[in-house]
Amino acid sequence: MSGLNPQQREAIHYLDGPLLVLAGAGSGKTRVITQKIAYLVEDCGFKARNVAAITFTNKAAKEMKERIGKILPKQHADDLQISTFHSLGVRILREEAKALGYKPRFSIFDSADCGGIISEVAQTVDKATLRILQSIISNWKNALVTPEAARHLVRDEHENLAAHAYLSYEATLKAYQAVDFDDLIGLPVKLFSEHPEIADKWQNRLRYLLVDEYQDTNACQYQLLKLLTGVRAQFTAVGDDDQAIYGWRGADIDNLKKLPAEFPALKVIKLEQNYRSTVTILKAANNVIANNEKLFDKKLWSDLGLGEPIHVTACRDNDAEAEGVVMKLQAHRFEHRAHFKDYAILYRSNHQARGFEEYLRDHRIPYLLSGGKSFFDKAEIKDIIAYLRLLTNEDDDPAFIRAATTPKRGIGAATLQVLGTYAGERHISLFQAAFEEGFAQRVQPRQLDPLLEFCQFINRTQERAVREPAHQVLPDLLKAIDYEAFLYDHEEERTAQTRWGNVCEFANWLNKKGELDGKTLIDLTQSIALINMLDKQNDEEVDAVQLSTLHASKGLEYKYVFLVGVEEGILPHRESTDPGKIEEERRLMYVGITRAQRALFISYCERRKQAREFVPCEPSRFIDEMGKEDVRFSGGKQDAPPDKATGSARLDAMKAMLAGNKR
């Protein structure tokens, strides 16, 4: 407990009822959660298996496990339930599937699978429309709105279409014995509400709950927490109302407001000492957030000294902004002998990254782009996962169709169409339908034979996958379907090489994970949909500049931050300037400012190129709100354009100076 401040210590020791810890940015909340877990297990007589910590990302859960592993004996650390909301939901559903009419080996459909079903039931292939419909249905599910209730909430054309698709979408999922991501929270809520005896069992199993990033919970997650904690209400919720930036994703800041009303015995402890940033950076952050209506009053402070002033630069246009940021970053790095990984360029929207990427590439500066394409989204990985999903649940129709046709094995679209019609009439899965005499009578033997051969191969592999370790079954599967040859037949050599390399990397990763955790291929497949493959790539820290959206940067910190495109219409976003939404945009600015440890550089454009035209821009209102003290302004109309020669000469001089010092 040494090195903790009085508020942190109080939060760890408080066990007299429900507790809300308001943890400001950089105030050491993860340390409080991990130390509290250790305190519960080592000093308070809680069994490790009865303590659960719930986070929002796999990365946060992993970090927490690592930290706990350093302070608790291994057998205790391994018994703890540390997971994301969704992973916890899966565990509950696998165990209690029967009560909801599911098999324990139900499938978890990803966004693409769900999009396919919605496309079918809504009879549209327009990608933009599909994205909107998926988002509307997801938000309804997160707000616990049933398909029947949704019909009365319709406000526009898209919602009308979504409401009509919602009921069929749910029925189709159930027929496939599948759930989507939102169901992983929604179905446990339904389960506990309808079966008090099951709720009771889980309340006794998880006797103390700790919830991280509480401000990001939605209505459904809040209900799940209430049902899990029951009358005992033994929980610690850790959150920050000033960092609630996920309203667009269904997160509901009202969950923070509700706590004191719904739990009258609630104690609130504020963590206001910041261990990350300088006084100057915190003062600007406090000034900005003071313009929001407060749920709980708190003010961050730091004893890390005043630090550098904040630099705000007005740029001629977006091209000049990208060039200026990259030049400044290089010069600053030489001057301060810093690493590339000490720098982050943060922006409001993904499309802003492009210009910065170009200039970083031109100057051979290594960079990482957060929110890039997931390893799981690659076509070759999805192909292999389709086979694994089918081994886990032969009623998984989308997986069946993908596996049966990739690589091609003589099962044509016409055969699948007849199979689909027959399966629909009989209300059974495509896999089951393939074996029925009624279907055999509708197709030619040359259509039936390859189909039955494929299904029998799946059955044989399935028998092995349940018993044998993953590293014995997976290589045989890849060999049997001849996937490598399929890639080389359909792609140029270099592309085929890259894609086969990805498949091998995926297979090695699964094999290793199977050996480490003693799991079969079936066990591993059930958790795949919840594992972000990118986590394993974050293990090795790369020396590279981080490019990230403000949303993706939450929870992270960098020595030096460039916050770019801070203009009206971008931050705040043009669709979020009405009073209801502006507060969330302000919290986004606050998150951006508080990522910086030592120095913060802010830039905006006087005009921005859109299509072929330049559009005039205004600096964001948030720049004014930071205050003028300790802020240095430069650039803009009154300044002469930067002299590239002088900038380059300065850089050359610094390089020479550094080279001299090395000698």
Side-chain angles (χ1 to χ4, degrees):
M1 295 280 172
S2 64
L4 291 166
N5 66 40
Q7 290 76 18
Q8 290 174 325
R9 208 171 273 125
E10 186 187 5
I12 289 164
H13 290 147
Y14 186 80
L15 287 177
D16 293 343
L19 171 67
L20 172 61
V21 179
L22 284 171
S27 63
K29 71 179 172 72
T30 309
R31 190 173 179 200
V32 167
I33 295 172
T34 49
Q35 292 282 2
K36 182 150 193 169
I37 292 170
Y39 175 66
L40 288 165
V41 174
E42 296 203 307
D43 300 329
C44 304
F46 277 85
K47 288 188 170 68
R49 65 172 181 272
N50 297 141
V51 177
I54 305 176
T55 67
F56 271 80
T57 62
N58 293 312
K59 197 170 170 222
K62 193 170 147 213
E63 186 192 340
M64 212 170 275
K65 279 178 189 161
E66 282 167 6
R67 290 212 199 177
I68 281 285
K70 290 174 185 166
I71 49 179
L72 274 183
K74 189 174 180 339
Q75 75 268 25
H76 287 339
D78 289 348
D79 279 351
L80 290 165
Q81 313 289 334
I82 299 175
S83 69
T84 61
F85 267 103
H86 292 93
S87 302
L88 176 64
V90 172
R91 266 208 4 261
I92 295 167
L93 291 177
R94 293 267 179 237
E95 199 170 312
E96 313 295 349
K98 200 172 164 205
L100 287 167
Y102 286 88
K103 299 184 302 189
R105 272 161 51 184
F106 58 79
S107 302
I108 300 166
F109 277 12
D110 67 13
S111 176
D113 297 327
C114 298
I117 297 173
I118 292 173
S119 169
E120 214 168 288
V121 297
Q123 296 181 325
T124 175
V125 288
D126 180 62
K127 285 203 169 104
T129 306
L130 278 175
R131 269 200 304 273
I132 293 168
L133 297 185
Q134 257 182 294
S135 166
I136 293 169
I137 291 174
S138 173
N139 283 338
W140 277 336
K141 284 189 159 198
N142 288 330
L144 295 168
V145 174
T146 62
E148 294 76 24
R151 299 201 163 192
H152 304 294
L153 297 175
V154 169
R155 291 170 306 186
D156 58 37
E157 188 58 36
H158 280 126
E159 288 189 356
N160 190 32
L161 195 53
H164 284 286
Y166 189 4
L167 196 61
S168 310
Y169 169 68
E170 290 289 79
T172 309
L173 278 177
K174 190 80 192 262
Y176 288 164
Q177 280 284 304
V179 300
D180 63 20
F181 254 46
D182 301 317
D183 290 330
L184 298 179
I185 318 287
L187 288 174
V189 167
K190 180 178 159 70
L191 176 82
F192 292 154
S193 306
E194 293 174 3
H195 302 272
E197 71 291 354
I198 296 177
D200 217 39
K201 170 179 139 186
W202 281 88
Q203 285 168 11
N204 284 319
R205 186 181 296 182
L206 305 178
R207 300 183 77 84
Y208 200 96
L209 277 182
L210 298 102
V211 187
D212 190 17
E213 302 286 10
Y214 180 78
Q215 76 283 347
D216 293 337
T217 52
N218 57 39
C220 205
Q221 287 157 338
Y222 180 71
Q223 277 312 113
L224 182 60
L225 289 174
K226 276 186 73 176
L227 289 162
L228 272 173
T229 54
V231 286
R232 276 202 304 270
Q234 286 280 66
F235 69 83
T236 294
V238 182
D240 181 6
D241 48 328
D242 292 333
Q243 293 187 75
I245 56 172
Y246 286 110
W248 53 280
R249 213 165 62 181
D252 191 351
I253 197 165
D254 274 357
N255 291 347
L256 268 172
K257 286 182 192 162
K258 277 185 214 162
L259 272 184
E262 297 202 6
F263 297 94
L266 182 80
K267 182 170 178 68
V268 179
I269 295 173
K270 298 175 193 174
L271 304 183
E272 295 169 298
Q273 181 173 0
N274 172 291
Y275 294 94
R276 177 189 297 159
S277 309
T278 63
V279 171
T280 298
I281 290 166
L282 289 186
K283 201 192 310 179
N286 284 332
N287 286 347
V288 169
I289 208 69
N291 291 277
N292 270 6
E293 203 180 313
K294 287 292 196 183
L295 281 184
F296 304 93
D297 215 31
K298 70 176 189 317
K299 206 164 192 175
L300 292 182
W301 62 276
S302 159
D303 56 12
L304 297 177
L306 205 59
E308 289 186 36
I310 293 168
H311 294 272
V312 176
T313 308
C315 306
R316 192 177 62 253
D317 53 36
N318 27 339
D319 202 38
E321 181 182 40
E323 185 183 16
V325 164
V326 172
M327 296 289 282
K328 196 178 287 182
L329 189 152
Q330 269 195 308
H332 190 277
R333 181 175 158 267
F334 278 115
E335 226 165 310
H336 293 78
R337 302 187 176 197
H339 299 283
F340 286 120
K341 65 181 178 198
D342 295 335
Y343 294 86
I345 299 172
L346 307 181
Y347 36 82
R348 172 67 174 83
S349 302
N350 271 312
H351 69 84
Q352 290 170 260
R354 243 172 268 139
F356 296 97
E357 280 190 83
E358 275 173 38
Y359 276 99
L360 288 165
R361 275 201 301 270
D362 290 350
H363 288 81
R364 301 212 174 112
I365 295 175
Y367 67 89
L368 288 171
L369 194 63
S370 81
K373 196 174 188 186
S374 158
F375 192 77
F376 269 147
D377 287 336
K378 296 179 190 296
E380 59 273 24
I381 303 300
K382 284 190 154 187
D383 288 343
I384 305 308
I385 287 175
Y387 282 89
L388 302 185
R389 277 170 41 183
L390 198 54
L391 295 178
T392 307
N393 169 16
E394 67 270 20
D395 297 339
D396 184 336
D397 284 355
F400 178 90
I401 292 165
R402 188 162 189 146
T405 55
T406 319
K408 296 223 179 311
R409 49 171 62 76
I411 302 169
T415 311
L416 287 173
Q417 224 161 3
V418 178
L419 183 67
T421 308
Y422 178 79
E425 289 166 12
R426 298 267 294 114
H427 301 293
I428 54 176
S429 68
L430 298 175
F431 191 89
Q432 202 180 333
F435 289 102
E436 293 210 345
E437 189 55 41
F439 167 68
Q441 288 168 5
R442 297 190 188 185
V443 288
Q444 303 292 324
R446 63 182 168 77
Q447 288 176 289
L448 185 62
D449 293 345
L451 189 63
L452 286 177
E453 198 183 313
F454 169 70
C455 293
Q456 282 151 2
F457 162 69
I458 292 295
N459 276 338
R460 287 194 305 275
T461 313
Q462 200 174 34
E463 281 165 23
R464 289 184 60 196
V466 177
R467 297 191 317 270
E468 297 174 31
H471 66 90
Q472 286 173 13
V473 184
L474 196 54
D476 291 352
L477 171 73
L478 290 172
K479 205 166 166 186
I481 65 173
D482 210 3
Y483 194 77
E484 185 178 8
F486 159 73
L487 287 175
Y488 279 93
D489 287 346
H490 288 81
E491 303 281 2
E492 287 178 8
E493 192 173 346
R494 278 184 66 178
T495 312
Q497 225 169 356
T498 306
R499 293 182 66 185
W500 178 243
N502 287 335
V503 170
C504 294
E505 187 189 347
F506 178 57
N508 292 338
W509 177 74
L510 273 179
N511 291 338
K512 207 156 69 183
K513 203 162 171 51
E515 281 182 53
L516 266 176
D517 303 345
K519 288 186 169 179
T520 65
L521 202 51
I522 298 284
D523 297 329
L524 289 171
T525 305
Q526 291 183 341
S527 56
I528 276 180
L530 293 170
I531 300 164
N532 183 343
M533 220 20 213
L534 295 171
D535 282 359
K536 68 176 184 53
Q537 292 168 3
N538 292 340
D539 289 350
E540 310 110 47
E541 204 176 88
V542 189
D543 187 23
V545 175
Q546 182 69 54
L547 265 64
S548 170
T549 61
L550 287 166
H551 284 101
S553 75
K554 190 154 81 77
L556 304 173
E557 52 186 42
Y558 304 93
K559 280 185 184 164
Y560 311 109
V561 167
F562 287 87
L563 188 47
V564 301
V566 187
E567 295 145 36
E568 287 294 312
I570 293 183
L571 182 66
H573 193 275
R574 65 178 174 278
E575 285 165 26
S576 303
T577 50
D578 61 281
K581 291 179 179 171
I582 195 74
E583 295 208 338
E584 183 155 324
E585 294 292 304
R586 190 173 279 116
R587 292 194 286 268
L588 212 42
M589 178 73 175
Y590 175 83
V591 165
I593 295 171
T594 53
R595 296 314 92 201
Q597 295 172 308
R598 297 191 191 164
L600 176 63
F601 303 91
I602 289 175
S603 56
Y604 66 90
C605 299
E606 294 185 322
R607 58 180 197 160
R608 191 168 278 278
K609 197 167 192 179
Q610 285 177 8
R612 292 183 175 185
E613 289 178 11
F614 280 103
V615 179
C617 305
E618 290 292 318
S620 166
R621 66 193 77 184
F622 303 145
I623 292 176
D624 257 355
E625 290 176 4
M626 291 192 313
K628 298 277 188 284
E629 208 185 342
D630 307 320
V631 180
R632 303 285 173 271
F633 294 87
S634 62
K637 294 186 181 73
Q638 72 278 9
D639 266 26
D643 179 358
K644 276 191 205 173
T646 314
S648 304
R650 186 166 169 232
L651 206 52
D652 291 339
M654 279 181 210
K655 285 181 185 172
M657 180 184 81
L658 280 178
N661 286 347
K662 277 180 193 161
R663 285 201 290 275

